[in-house]
Amino acid sequence: RPSSGINAEYGDYLKLDSYEVVSIIDHHDDEKKQCTGYRRVERVGSCATLVTALFQSSNVELSEEMRLFLAAPIVLDTVNLDVSKGRCFQLDIDMFKFLSVKDKDSLFKKVEKAKTNIANLSVYDLLRKDYKTFSSTVGHIYIASIFGPSIDEFLRMNELQADTDRFIRDYKVDVLVIMVRSDKFDLALIVAHGCEYMKNDCLADLTAKLQLTKYTGDSPDNWLVFNQLNVKCSRKVVLPLLKSWLEI
């Protein structure tokens, strides 16, 4: 807060409305947040790309360790700089080249393996590991991303319903959307809580843009579960869609 003397910098869609924001670097949709200093909001595959661009423009000398530190999220977020997946932009490619990190494929395999290693994580852990949230007229909306298991594997996990209910209680969730992506890039979308707020027009919009098809396997009775055929639509696409419907 301004009175506390704490300054904050936005990075990758953070909600810090109660603080004085001194700079913003973000690769999501521009929410028109203002700051007192450097501001760059641009749609690219990875926020690390914009951080790298700032270092480049400032002629900052980067150590080999720092170059690797920046390159890892770039290849991970862009699916190894694969333009066909819809998550890689020219600036991502340019900044990765600027970092001069060798053996891109090997780096991607290492960081992807680390990210997908969920052997010791419960459903509760997975839900709180990577989520975005926003407030709307219907309450608190959470979109959790789970990377690694297939939809079948996720729905068979131990304590699926109990852990999900615990997450909803602990985080005071009104609508919970779960996006599941397997290591083979198979996608699924689940509405695990707040289905009553997902009106027909909203579901129709999501179905059309994400190419959703009804999942035919076993799942909790109160969940809406879909296979997602449009692999280019990540959470960056789903979040603004939900905001446009649930903030009405």
Side-chain angles (χ1 to χ4, degrees):
R1 296 175 179 83
S3 60
S4 69
I6 297 175
N7 293 331
E9 297 188 12
Y10 265 153
D12 200 10
Y13 200 81
L14 296 178
K15 294 293 186 181
L16 299 170
D17 293 333
S18 59
Y19 294 90
E20 179 185 356
V21 180
V22 297
S23 65
I24 299 173
I25 303 174
D26 197 0
H27 67 135
H28 296 87
D29 287 341
D30 193 347
E31 294 208 340
K32 310 301 181 184
K33 300 290 185 181
Q34 299 304 312
C35 63
T36 57
Y38 181 84
R39 186 183 193 279
R40 183 168 184 176
V41 180
E42 183 179 341
R43 177 56 71 88
V44 291
S46 176
C47 195
T49 292
L50 300 181
V51 175
T52 302
L54 175 59
F55 285 141
Q56 181 194 46
S57 64
S58 303
N59 295 316
V60 174
E61 187 74 25
L62 297 174
S63 66
E64 183 177 350
E65 183 180 42
M66 192 63 182
R67 289 175 180 272
L68 187 62
F69 182 77
L70 289 165
I74 292 177
V75 295
L76 185 63
D77 291 341
T78 61
V79 196
N80 203 19
L81 299 178
D82 187 346
V83 177
S84 70
K85 294 293 191 295
R87 305 183 184 199
C88 181
F89 297 75
Q90 186 59 46
L91 188 61
D92 297 302
I93 297 171
D94 293 343
M95 290 302 98
F96 184 83
K97 288 181 179 177
F98 166 73
L99 292 171
S100 301
V101 173
K102 298 179 180 179
D103 203 348
K104 170 177 67 71
D105 294 342
S106 176
L107 175 62
F108 175 69
K109 289 178 182 178
K110 287 179 180 178
V111 293
E112 185 182 44
K113 182 178 180 180
K115 183 176 181 178
T116 58
N117 182 9
I118 60 171
N120 297 317
L121 298 181
S122 66
V123 171
Y124 184 83
D125 294 329
L126 291 174
L127 291 174
R128 65 195 184 100
K129 178 174 180 285
D130 182 8
Y131 66 81
K132 305 293 185 186
T133 182
F134 66 92
S135 296
S136 75
T137 53
V138 304
H140 300 297
I141 318 301
Y142 280 73
I143 307 177
S145 289
I146 296 175
F147 184 67
S150 68
I151 182 60
D152 295 328
E153 291 168 339
F154 175 70
L155 292 173
R156 289 198 298 266
M157 288 188 68
N158 293 331
E159 304 297 330
L160 174 68
Q161 186 71 71
D163 274 6
T164 303
D165 290 344
R166 179 187 166 200
F167 178 82
I168 291 167
R169 289 193 307 270
D170 289 353
Y171 287 79
K172 298 178 172 56
V173 179
D174 294 292
V175 176
L176 175 59
V177 175
I178 305 171
M179 301 186 71
V180 180
R181 190 183 88 180
S182 75
D183 53 7
K184 296 181 180 179
F185 222 79
D186 297 318
L187 304 181
L189 184 139
I190 301 168
V191 183
H193 186 65
C195 296
E196 64 273 19
Y197 297 116
M198 304 294 287
K199 298 178 181 178
N200 290 335
D201 289 344
C202 176
L203 284 176
D205 192 23
L206 288 172
T207 297
K209 289 184 171 64
L210 276 62
Q211 299 176 24
L212 301 179
T213 61
K214 188 70 174 178
Y215 176 74
T216 57
D218 294 332
S219 62
D221 293 337
N222 57 334
W223 289 18
L224 298 175
V225 184
F226 303 93
N227 296 303
Q228 180 184 326
L229 303 183
N230 187 348
V231 298
K232 294 183 178 181
C233 286
S234 66
R235 185 169 53 190
K236 295 187 188 71
V237 175
V238 174
L239 191 146
L241 282 176
L242 287 178
K243 289 191 72 172
S244 67
W245 282 105
L246 297 178
E247 288 187 340
I248 295 176

